């Protein structure tokens, strides 16, 4: 467990630095049309997650129920058969519908398919309690492509061929890592003839929960193609940059919960109380969100404008939308992930309504306001659907009070208000850094016991 935490801590700064460097390399060295092409292509990644049919998430709950050991191979065979069929169908439909270069689409889709297989295999490793291996996988999964891409730029110019080659190479390495670790997992069940039986509702509810989320954030980038009246390239790149920042935050926000979800799942299915576990995880994620928000308000625009040389992108607005997304999503997403880990999948209704709101509001705002209108649509939809409803459903499932969730959320809001108040004084970078460190020290002092208890819990896994 301690090794898993250490890997997560390494991933925090590494992911941020690599993400910024890749965006800087793309925007500074490549044409805006090439950046637009890549953002539109990479936005399809979550579709492949959907077409994994929730098997990685289901594996955690499925292999941790109190019904005894279950055979692994039937689970893997069925899940791989299903995702192979549906991802191949999606490849054909997408290629025909958009009439895109077949070689480009084939390479990208093949790479995504390898990543999907890796996700299935590593989910078995994760469900069996091999947390460190899963954390290493996530580190490689998120960092290998940008690392190899940045190295390749020292030798070659940015091009579609280079991007796709590095994408395919990194995907193969990710698959190989997952396969090697999966091959080391011992199947406790001798009979491999057992059928893998799982209620279709479990798959459908998770798919219907995650599918709208793809349209809410990632695929909504195509609304700019459909609705915006002006030049689309800058708007697509602006929204794509917002998405890249938010995706980095989601990775950071999931590190600590993901370490503990297998343990929480086992406790839940053994009828043990998990409310204390959830409160500790919420406290840590609240703390992470607070200092990302304050740091973004103080230094976000400065950092982006320093590493990205573009006069067409308003970095201040991107930072404000990014911070707003953190305030709305951080705790809600954490609670939803933990609930899904316990086998609760009934989040499809709010997700569907959120995606519908994004589409409807975008139809009116995007034509005139472009990427800003799209980001406003997303935040509005989440505020009126997933934010309140998912928080309520999760509180019931996990046995924690709504009052505790609201209290944690208010701390995040207060941090935003405080940082906006400080920034209004137009302090220089040195003074802002002093203020940031002062807030950090005060927070550590006030919540010392909570920090110690939460870190001890994560370190020990109990």
């Amino acid at each position: 467990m301690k090794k898993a935490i250490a890997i997560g801590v390494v991933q925090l700064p590494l992911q941020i630095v690599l993400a910024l460097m890749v965006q800087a390399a793309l925007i500074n060295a490549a044409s805006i049309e090439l950046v637009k092409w890549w953002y539109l292509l990479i936005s399809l990644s979550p579709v492949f997650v959907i077409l994994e049919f929730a098997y990685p998430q289901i594996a955690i709950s499925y292999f941790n129920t109190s019904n005894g050991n279950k055979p692994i191979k039937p689970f893997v065979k069925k899940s791989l058969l299903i995702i192979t069929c549906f991802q191949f169908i999606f490849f054909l439909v997408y290629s025909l519908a958009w009439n895109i270069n077949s070689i480009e689409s084939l390479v990208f889709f093949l790479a995504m398919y390898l990543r999907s297989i890796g996700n299935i295999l590593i989910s078995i490793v994760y469900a069996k309690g091999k947390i460190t291996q899963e954390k290493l996988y996530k580190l490689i999964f998120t960092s290998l492509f940008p690392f190899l891409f940045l190295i390749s730029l020292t030798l070659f110019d940015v091009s579609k061929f280079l991007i796709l080659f590095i994408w395919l190479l990194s995907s193969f390495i990710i698959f190989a890592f997952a396969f090697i670790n999966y091959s080391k997992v011992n199947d406790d069940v001798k009979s491999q003839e057992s059928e893998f039986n799982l209620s279709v509702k479990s798959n459908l509810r998770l798919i219907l929960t995650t599918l709208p989320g793809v349209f809410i954030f990632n695929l909504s980038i195509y609304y700019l193609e459909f609705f915006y009246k002006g030049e689309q390239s800058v708007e697509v790149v602006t929204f794509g940059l917002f998405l890249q920042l938010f995706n980095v935050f989601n990775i950071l926000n999931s590190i600590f919960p993901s370490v503990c979800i297998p343990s929480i799942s086992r406790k839940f299915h053994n009828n043990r109380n998990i409310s204390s576990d959830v409160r500790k995880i919420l406290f840590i994620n609240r703390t992470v969100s607070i200092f990302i928000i304050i740091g973004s308000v103080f230094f976000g625009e400065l950092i982006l404008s320093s590493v990205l040389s573009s006069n067409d992108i308003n970095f201040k607005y991107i930072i404000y939308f990014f911070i707003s997304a953190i305030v709305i999503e951080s705790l809600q997403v954490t609670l939803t992930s933990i609930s899904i880990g316990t086998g609760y999948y009934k989040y499809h209704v709010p997700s569907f309504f959120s995606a519908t709101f994004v589409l409807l509001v975008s139809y009116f705002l995007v034509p005139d306001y472009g990427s800003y209108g799209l980001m406003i649509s997303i935040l509005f939809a989440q505020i009126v659907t997933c934010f309140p409803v998912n928080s309520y459903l999760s509180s019931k499932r996990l046995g924690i009070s709504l009052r505790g969730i609201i209290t944690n959320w208010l701390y995040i809001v207060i941090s935003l208000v405080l940082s906006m108040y400080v920034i209004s004084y137009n302090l220089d970078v040195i003074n802002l850094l002093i203020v940031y460190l002062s807030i950090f020290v005060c927070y550590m002092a006030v919540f010392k016991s909570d920090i110690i208890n939460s870190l001890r819990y994560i370190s020990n896994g109990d």
Side-chain angles (χ1 to χ4, degrees), residues 149-160:
F149 177 70
L150 291 171
I151 291 178
S152 67
L153 290 183
T154 62
L155 303 172
F156 309 100
D157 294 330
V158 180
S159 65
K160 289 183 179 181

Side-chain angles (χ1 to χ4, degrees), residues 412-422:
I412 294 176
V413 173
I414 290 171
S415 72
L416 174 59
V417 174
L418 175 63
S419 57
M420 294 299 294
Y421 175 75
V422 172

Side-chain angles (χ1 to χ4, degrees), residues 342-403:
T342 67
Y344 186 81
Y345 311 127
K346 298 180 180 179
Y347 295 103
H348 49 291
V349 175
S351 295
F352 171 78
F353 279 105
S354 182
T356 303
F357 278 135
V358 171
L359 177 59
L360 293 176
V361 179
S362 294
Y363 179 78
F364 293 101
L365 294 185
V366 169
D368 294 321
Y369 301 102
S371 56
Y372 301 145
L374 180 53
M375 286 185 269
I376 291 171
S377 303
I378 291 172
L379 298 179
F380 168 77
Q382 290 296 87
I383 288 174
V384 299
T385 56
C386 294
F387 176 66
V389 177
N390 287 12
S391 298
Y392 174 77
L393 294 175
S394 298
S395 70
K396 295 298 182 183
R397 174 70 172 184
L398 303 175
I400 59 175
S401 67
L402 274 176
R403 181 179 179 181

